[in-house]
Amino acid sequence: MSRTDLGMPTVRPAYGHGHITLDEPFPDSARTQLGNAQMRKNIRHATHSIRAKRARVVDELPDWQRLRAAGSALKQQVMADLPALLEQLEANVTARGGVVHWARDAEEANRIVTELVKAKGVDEVIKVKSMATQEIGLEEALNAEGIAATETDLAELIVQLGHDKPSHILVPAIHKNRNEIRDIFVREMEETDESLTSEPKDLAEAARRHLRERFLRSSVAISGANFGVAETGTLSVVESEGNGRMCLTLPETLITVMGIEKLVPTFQDLEVFLQLLPRSSTGERMNPYTSMWTGVTPGDGPQEFHLVLLDNGRSAVLSDPAGRSALHCIRCSACMNVCPVYEQTGGHAYGSVYPGPIGAILSPQLTGVEDGANGTLPYASSLCGACYDVCPVAIDIPSILVHLRDQDVQATHARKKAEKKVPVPSQMDLMMKGASTVMSSGSLMSLAERGLPVGRLLAGKDAKLGWLPGIAGGWTDQRDVPAPPQESFRHWWKRNRSGSGQQDAEQTTTSEEEQA
């Protein structure tokens, strides 16, 4: 990929679909995950704890909404000026001793990184937690070439040793409790035995011993980046453990894979995001470790630095005015911690490294809603709007979900038309058509409302409808529907107020005439 390719509307990832695309429709995968009671308990406890911490530290800032607006405006500026900002970043990284590579898709990015590692003659690397490298399936690509990649983030290490997949952007092992983690460590770490307890401090110490030798012997590290500063060529990683800083400073060679949307125009712009991100993600006022590096500094840190700028469908997202704000995401995970759907299904149901509300709008756009089962992800939401309320850069996730649902419907109709199939209306089509007809006519709406007493009669003494026919049965399979009111507001108003309203108006007119 060259810098002149930016803005092309057809770039789609050609590799790593197992990481971006659902293997089965979301309703099916969600149904499977709903049966895991322990996972649901773990996630509920963790998300509610993080949610409460976030609320406390956000309430401390009187200008929080202004910060959100500033973050949103900066991201809009980045999207508008992305080609120029990327060229500026490349020039500044290169001027300071780094090497910039452009990757059109996951396959190209994996090839670049693999060749860089093989050129150093090593078969082992250490990694900083990175969503971009998970997105492209880098670990699997390295393993296929005989290169072992060790995750150094504690939660990522737990997932890796457990031969599992992440289920949360911020806390990948959120679906595991400490007893399960202890069992994984005993089974997978040679340094441990049955004497290991499930106390957090003991688990952290076991992970520290396991990673220490790898930090000291590894000469190549791979990282992602939270932010890239176009003005200076500076890259930044924020974290809470310090393991990331070990990766960024000890090895001789550092390879960073960064999505092209992670830019900020100037160094001063970091001020906004370094206030928004920690409060929204971990519920902290600031990140314990904020690491920044600019190119190569002789005698200090890695002496060889490579930056891989990853498209992998992002320019296609950028070409959609209604959906491009998904690229504003700073990966805080706040939307996941308040989402009622995510809380019940967990992250694995989304089939992507980007789960939750942000994954429901980002994954389908990276691949196209017509690709596999990703078209079902925009329906993985109640549209309650909680995700928008907590998003630190004010991404209107509900509106994008509706936009993508429309794209899915249009793609389905186009596919049927191309296959020259006679369209057979579904139950949903018929129900929506009927609702449209009734709601577009006041007299038909009034007539339909006359049937409300029938609904109350069917609800019985407990005033609940536990069964509905057809497609509506999908709702009552999981919950009851309250009985409808005895009569509609329209009929109540007509019976109680319409006459008195006219009388009141006549009395007012008479009073005004008398005063005159």
Side-chain angles (χ1 to χ4, degrees), residues 59-202:
D59 286 344
E60 294 174 353
L61 296 183
D63 62 344
W64 177 253
Q65 294 305 324
R66 293 178 63 190
L67 273 172
R68 288 182 78 207
S72 178
L74 282 169
K75 282 297 184 178
Q76 291 177 44
Q77 178 187 348
V78 169
M79 296 304 111
D81 301 332
L82 188 57
L85 288 172
L86 285 169
E87 290 191 354
Q88 184 182 11
L89 176 72
E90 179 190 34
N92 285 317
V93 170
T94 303
R96 289 160 176 79
V99 181
V100 177
H101 309 261
W102 299 74
R104 177 184 297 275
D105 53 30
E107 184 176 16
E108 190 170 5
N110 286 330
R111 177 181 55 77
I112 291 169
V113 176
T114 301
E115 289 177 355
L116 289 172
V117 175
K118 292 171 71 174
K120 306 309 294 185
V122 300
D123 59 5
E124 181 182 24
V125 299
I126 51 177
K127 282 181 79 269
V128 185
K129 181 180 183 298
S130 164
M131 304 302 298
T133 58
Q134 290 176 17
E135 174 189 321
I136 63 177
L138 178 60
E139 184 179 337
E140 291 83 348
L142 290 172
N143 289 341
E145 296 294 329
I147 302 168
T150 300
E151 295 286 355
T152 60
D153 176 85
L154 178 56
E156 289 287 357
L157 178 65
I158 293 166
V159 170
Q160 185 180 53
L161 293 178
H163 309 287
D164 200 354
K165 294 181 180 180
S167 62
H168 192 277
I169 289 177
L170 176 69
V171 195
I174 195 173
H175 56 293
K176 298 291 186 184
N177 61 36
R178 62 186 190 181
N179 293 320
E180 293 171 308
I181 295 170
R182 180 260 179 199
D183 293 341
I184 291 172
F185 281 9
V186 170
R187 184 176 66 247
E188 299 291 335
M189 289 182 178
E190 296 179 356
E191 304 89 344
T192 61
D193 55 35
E194 292 295 334
S195 64
L196 179 66
T197 74
S198 60
E199 289 299 314
K201 63 181 181 61
D202 294 334

Side-chain angles (χ1 to χ4, degrees), residues 332-344:
C332 70
S333 76
C335 62
M336 301 166 63
N337 298 327
V338 298
C339 178
V341 176
Y342 174 85
E343 183 177 309
Q344 297 302 321

Side-chain angles (χ1 to χ4, degrees), residues 251-503:
E252 298 172 1
T253 301
L254 173 61
I255 304 169
T256 297
V257 180
M258 185 183 82
I260 57 175
E261 81 282 14
K262 291 297 190 69
L263 289 177
V264 295
T266 70
F267 198 87
Q268 186 175 1
D269 296 330
L270 283 175
E271 175 189 354
V272 174
F273 294 108
L274 292 181
Q275 293 182 77
L276 289 170
L277 181 56
R279 285 177 166 83
S280 297
S281 57
T282 58
E284 297 171 299
R285 296 177 182 87
M286 64 181 294
N287 288 97
Y289 295 89
T290 300
S291 300
M292 299 183 190
W293 67 100
T294 306
V296 174
T297 302
D300 184 14
Q303 296 302 289
E304 186 175 336
F305 171 57
H306 296 268
L307 173 62
V308 181
L309 294 172
L310 176 69
D311 187 319
N312 206 37
R314 286 160 173 80
S315 58
V317 182
L318 187 63
S319 69
D320 182 357
R324 67 170 59 134
S325 61
L327 295 177
H328 296 185
C329 176
I330 59 175
R331 308 292 190 266
C332 70
S333 76
C335 62
M336 301 166 63
N337 298 327
V338 298
C339 178
V341 176
Y342 174 85
E343 183 177 309
Q344 297 302 321
T345 66
H348 291 159
Y350 294 81
S352 167
V353 296
Y354 304 113
I358 189 62
I361 63 171
L362 186 57
S363 296
Q365 291 195 89
L366 289 176
T367 61
V369 294
E370 70 280 357
D371 192 342
N374 263 8
T376 64
L377 284 177
Y379 300 94
S381 170
S382 65
L383 300 180
C384 66
C387 51
Y388 170 72
D389 291 339
V390 299
C391 178
V393 289
I395 301 173
D396 190 354
I397 294 177
S399 293
I400 300 177
L401 287 167
V402 174
H403 168 65
L404 294 176
R405 291 179 186 186
D406 177 66
Q407 283 192 352
D408 177 56
V409 171
Q410 298 301 328
T412 301
H413 288 173
R415 185 170 60 251
K416 289 181 178 180
K417 185 176 181 180
E419 295 171 354
K420 297 182 178 179
K421 291 183 177 180
V422 178
V424 178
S426 66
Q427 290 185 46
M428 179 63 76
D429 292 333
L430 295 173
M431 187 169 67
M432 291 294 102
K433 182 63 176 176
S436 175
T437 300
V438 170
M439 292 181 181
S440 62
S441 167
S443 57
L444 289 178
M445 189 70 179
S446 179
L447 182 62
E449 290 168 346
R450 296 290 185 186
L452 292 177
V454 178
R456 291 188 64 84
L457 181 65
L458 294 174
K461 293 182 180 179
D462 61 355
K464 294 179 181 178
L465 291 169
W467 176 87
L468 289 174
I471 192 173
W475 181 270
T476 51
D477 283 346
Q478 305 295 332
R479 57 186 70 76
D480 293 327
V481 178
Q486 184 66 42
E487 63 179 340
S488 69
F489 176 78
R490 179 201 307 266
H491 294 149
W492 179 90
W493 181 267
K494 185 176 181 180
R495 181 167 55 83
N496 290 280
R497 294 298 188 200
S498 60
S500 62
Q502 182 178 358
Q503 183 179 358

